[in-house]
Amino acid sequence: MKRARLENRIIYMLLTFTICFSCNLKTAEDYYDIAFDLEEKGEYEKAIPFLDKAIEKKPRFRPALINRGADKSEIGDYKGAIKDYQKIIAFDPKNTLVLMNIGNNYKRLKQYNKSIYFYTKALQTKGAIKSDSTYLVINSPNEWDKDSDYFVRKYKIEFERGISYVYSKKYELAIKDLEQPIKYNYETPDALSWIGESYYHLKDTLNARKFLTQASKYGLIDAKELLEKMLNE
């Protein structure tokens, strides 16, 4: 009996050692891939521990940090998401996508002035590109983490900042921003609706009706309700 117990203990120790050793052999990219597969299934909470391991192995691994921030946003941990994005900003201060994502999370926290600050910073980076810009990106085999991965079209940032301007009651600035995505047919119904609402608050009835009518044609309920309210005033 003692011999059997000893053999079982040795086998257990060997299995434990093998599992631990195989885990240590995994690279940051390996853990990132596992997390990515979970994220594709919408299992964001389960993905986070694997991203933790990836970041532990490679603290400046931008894809893991940005995905962990995105996963935290998906589960409502907006402050945690901002902390992850700030870790990237600490060594990559002009990362356009990250700056925009920080702005998005401050907007979700209803801290609109902070969100506007980060959207503005994002627009000032070289990664804020025009839709008609052409960039030649050479992709090497198994290449990870290119700067071009973090480029964002300007009108996408302006759309988000425009919404924060509306919430901040800076309606003229909101209109100026929200006109940009319409030019590129990006989020057009929502942009029209937000512009209509801005004109409504500016007491420009003519333009408010114009834009709210256009938004209503896309079936936006908020635009229809505000338009009906105006017609009854």
Side-chain angles (χ1 to χ4, degrees):
M1 289 292 293
K2 288 183 179 179
R3 183 178 179 183
R5 286 177 182 174
L6 180 61
E7 287 176 349
N8 288 338
R9 187 177 178 185
I10 291 170
I11 291 169
Y12 174 78
M13 290 174 67
L14 286 170
L15 284 171
T16 302
F17 175 78
T18 302
I19 292 169
C20 291
F21 183 72
S22 63
C23 286
N24 288 334
L25 285 178
K26 280 188 170 61
T27 65
E29 289 80 6
D30 291 333
Y31 285 120
Y32 174 86
D33 285 340
I34 295 169
F36 185 83
D37 289 339
L38 290 167
E39 289 158 353
E40 289 285 285
K41 300 173 185 175
E43 297 178 349
Y44 304 109
E45 285 191 80
K46 290 182 180 179
I48 289 172
F50 291 101
L51 293 172
D52 292 342
K53 292 179 184 293
I55 294 162
E56 184 179 341
K57 282 186 168 286
K58 189 186 287 190
R60 292 192 173 190
F61 189 22
R62 291 184 296 181
L65 282 165
I66 201 166
N67 277 22
R68 190 170 69 177
D71 291 344
K72 289 178 180 179
S73 293
E74 289 288 347
I75 63 175
D77 182 11
Y78 306 130
K79 291 181 180 179
I82 289 169
K83 286 181 181 178
D84 273 341
Y85 295 138
Q86 290 283 17
K87 288 177 181 178
I88 301 175
I89 295 302
F91 63 87
D92 185 14
K94 295 182 179 181
N95 188 305
T96 312
L97 178 61
V98 173
L99 289 167
M100 186 180 77
N101 284 354
I102 294 174
N104 287 341
N105 281 280
Y106 274 123
K107 186 196 296 175
R108 293 174 182 126
L109 290 167
K110 299 183 179 180
Q111 297 182 35
Y112 302 117
N113 286 334
K114 283 188 176 180
S115 72
I116 290 167
Y117 172 79
F118 281 97
Y119 291 138
T120 302
K121 286 193 74 171
L123 285 164
Q124 292 169 347
T125 62
K126 69 176 183 180
I129 58 175
K130 294 181 179 179
S131 65
D132 56 353
S133 298
T134 303
Y135 287 82
L136 178 62
V137 180
I138 301 173
N139 296 313
S140 301
N142 301 317
E143 185 179 4
W144 283 87
D145 201 12
K146 305 180 298 297
D147 285 342
S148 60
D149 293 337
Y150 305 94
F151 290 174
V152 184
R153 301 295 188 193
K154 282 186 175 181
Y155 59 81
K156 292 185 177 182
I157 306 170
E158 288 164 331
F159 174 77
E160 300 295 345
R161 189 176 67 173
I163 296 171
S164 286
Y165 276 140
V166 175
Y167 283 123
S168 300
K169 300 181 180 181
K170 299 174 182 177
Y171 302 118
E172 291 178 352
L173 291 172
I175 292 167
K176 185 178 179 181
D177 266 358
L178 291 163
E179 285 174 340
Q180 300 308 309
I182 293 173
K183 292 177 182 178
Y184 300 100
N185 198 29
Y186 175 76
E187 300 290 355
T188 299
D190 286 317
L192 290 168
S193 183
W194 286 113
I195 291 174
E197 182 176 336
S198 296
Y199 277 121
Y200 171 78
H201 290 297
L202 288 170
K203 302 188 184 305
D204 184 341
T205 306
L206 185 64
N207 276 313
R209 286 180 178 175
K210 173 186 172 183
F211 284 94
L212 290 171
T213 299
Q214 290 180 53
S216 296
K217 291 178 180 178
Y218 288 95
L220 291 190
I221 295 173
D222 289 346
K224 287 182 179 179
E225 289 178 350
L226 184 53
L227 187 60
E228 288 175 6
K229 180 182 176 181
M230 288 181 63
L231 293 172
N232 294 323
E233 287 178 350

